Amino acid sequence: MKIKENIRIKQIGDDKILVYNDGNNLDYTRIISLNQSAAFLIEESMGKEFTVQEWAHRLTDRYDIDYALALSDAQKVVDKLKQAGVLCE
């Protein structure tokens, strides 16, 4: 799967948000707030194909957590991004 091309991450204070970019403007009516690990995964995957398993490995490498937990967390992020229409397969 891949993150759609019209998606951008913006920093607002200490928070990161995901917004849609139509080429002319950012659409702040369609915002997704990101936690630190979700922002890390998305930023690392912009413009690249990835799998849930690859995301789980990135989480275990960065946060030194159990693979099963990382896989569950990565799947939750993917599910939310799919629901928001952010991913293309």
Side-chain angles (χ1 to χ4, degrees):
M1 67 197 104
K2 191 174 181 180
I3 297 163
K4 290 183 178 179
E5 297 292 325
N6 61 339
I7 301 301
R8 300 288 176 262
I9 293 179
K10 294 290 179 186
Q11 181 93 27
I12 298 181
D14 292 335
D15 299 321
K16 290 192 177 186
I17 60 170
L18 188 139
V19 294
Y20 293 84
N21 182 351
D22 68 3
N24 297 319
N25 299 309
L26 295 176
D27 183 355
Y28 287 101
T29 63
R30 298 176 65 192
I31 295 175
I32 299 171
S33 179
L34 303 172
N35 66 23
Q36 183 181 9
S37 57
F40 163 71
L41 292 172
I42 293 168
E43 288 171 337
E44 291 287 312
S45 301
M46 291 290 217
K48 303 174 193 170
E49 294 280 333
F50 66 91
T51 65
V52 175
Q53 293 80 10
E54 289 169 342
W55 272 15
H57 284 293
R58 286 184 180 165
L59 289 174
T60 59
D61 290 345
R62 181 167 179 122
Y63 297 104
D64 194 31
I65 60 173
D66 178 70
Y67 180 78
L69 175 61
L71 186 60
S72 173
D73 289 350
Q75 186 63 58
K76 288 176 187 175
V77 174
V78 165
D79 291 345
K80 288 184 181 193
L81 294 177
K82 281 183 180 178
Q83 183 180 10
V86 173
L87 298 178
C88 49
E89 304 215 27

